Amino acid sequence: PAQCAITDEENALFYPWYTQYSWDNSFNPDYPRVAGIWATAYQEKTGQSVDGVISITPTMVQDLLAATGDSFTLSDGTAMNATKVLQHDLYWKYFSSGSSTSESNDVCDALFAEAAEYAFDSALDNMNASSLMKLASTMMGGLDDRRIMIWLANASEQSHIENMGYSGSMTAASKQQPTLGVFVNFWAGSKLGWWLGMDTQIGTPVTGNDGSRTYHVTT
């Protein structure tokens, strides 16, 4: 929607897909911006506003199932090892089946939703003191490493999320504490990302005559 005010910089960095398809909004690593766009687009499409947007990764689905000691099989008969199934197997199964891309997308999206719904229902059903502690520990682990990110439409409530460090925002680095972020978007149905690893090493800074510092970085 026009009220999202997508900038020229965003279009240059993240390509037109960034605003054409909701699942590609997260090309931008600044999660509050992503969630705000998604919420605005959702409201325009459905006429319903949302109080917030929560992002979870497939690894969190698996962790939730592990915390509850539960397991299940998807409606298409696929047994769940959530991370591998959701990040690789379903794409291999349906995108190599000869079906159209749109049909394969629809099937995979439906199975993703089924897995996430089951995991959260399993975690919240029959809650007791022991399962509550396991759930809290699992969720905190996801918040700490950005596998869960939260955005709330209420600015006051969102400020608390920011202060706790769980917003996924890209805060501006200070000169005293420079920060480097390396983000990779592997935009391909092959899901080769399942097989890839990435590691970044930052060398000792070299200070120039003008006081500037240069860092040698290897990814």
Side-chain angles (χ1 to χ4, degrees):
Q3 59 265 43
C4 290
I6 303 301
T7 66
D8 291 339
E9 182 183 45
E10 287 174 317
N11 276 323
L13 282 170
F14 308 123
Y15 315 110
W17 300 305
Y18 170 58
T19 52
Q20 287 183 19
Y21 306 111
S22 62
W23 50 82
D24 290 335
N25 290 162
S26 57
F27 278 13
N28 185 341
D30 187 49
Y31 183 68
R33 174 61 168 156
V34 170
I37 292 171
W38 196 92
T40 302
Y42 182 83
Q43 182 170 1
E44 181 179 75
K45 184 176 180 65
T46 67
Q48 299 175 331
S49 62
V50 297
D51 295 323
V53 181
I54 299 174
S55 168
I56 64 168
T57 68
T59 59
M60 283 307 304
V61 174
Q62 180 163 290
D63 287 352
L64 286 170
L65 293 173
T68 60
D70 208 348
S71 61
F72 80 110
T73 300
L74 291 171
S75 58
D76 73 336
T78 305
M80 280 292 289
N81 170 322
T83 305
K84 187 172 187 291
V85 166
L86 298 180
Q87 292 189 334
H88 176 269
D89 292 0
L90 290 183
Y91 285 85
W92 176 259
K93 182 175 182 178
Y94 288 104
F95 281 81
S96 60
S97 66
S99 299
S100 70
T101 298
S102 61
E103 289 175 334
S104 299
N105 272 328
D106 289 344
V107 172
C108 288
D109 286 349
L111 292 171
F112 291 165
E114 182 183 327
E117 181 177 7
Y118 185 95
F120 276 95
D121 285 348
S122 176
L124 297 175
D125 286 348
N126 304 312
M127 185 69 71
N128 56 44
S130 175
S131 59
L132 177 61
M133 291 305 295
K134 288 181 179 178
L135 177 61
S137 177
T138 299
M139 298 296 281
M140 290 303 295
L143 287 164
D144 286 336
D145 61 14
R146 287 175 63 99
R147 290 180 300 140
I148 299 177
M149 291 181 286
I150 300 172
W151 172 84
L152 299 175
N154 181 289
S156 177
E157 294 172 351
Q158 176 64 12
S159 69
H160 294 303
I161 300 296
E162 292 272 0
N163 291 337
M164 288 188 289
Y166 297 143
S167 70
S169 65
M170 297 286 99
T171 54
S174 69
K175 292 182 179 179
Q176 289 72 35
Q177 294 180 310
T179 302
L180 171 74
V182 179
F183 303 92
V184 174
N185 294 316
F186 195 82
W187 195 78
S190 67
K191 292 301 170 186
L192 281 175
W194 170 254
W195 305 103
L196 302 178
M198 189 172 73
D199 180 62
T200 297
Q201 302 292 330
I202 303 177
T204 303
V206 176
T207 303
N209 294 332
D210 60 354
S212 63
R213 287 171 290 180
T214 301
Y215 295 81
H216 184 85
V217 178
T218 301
T219 296

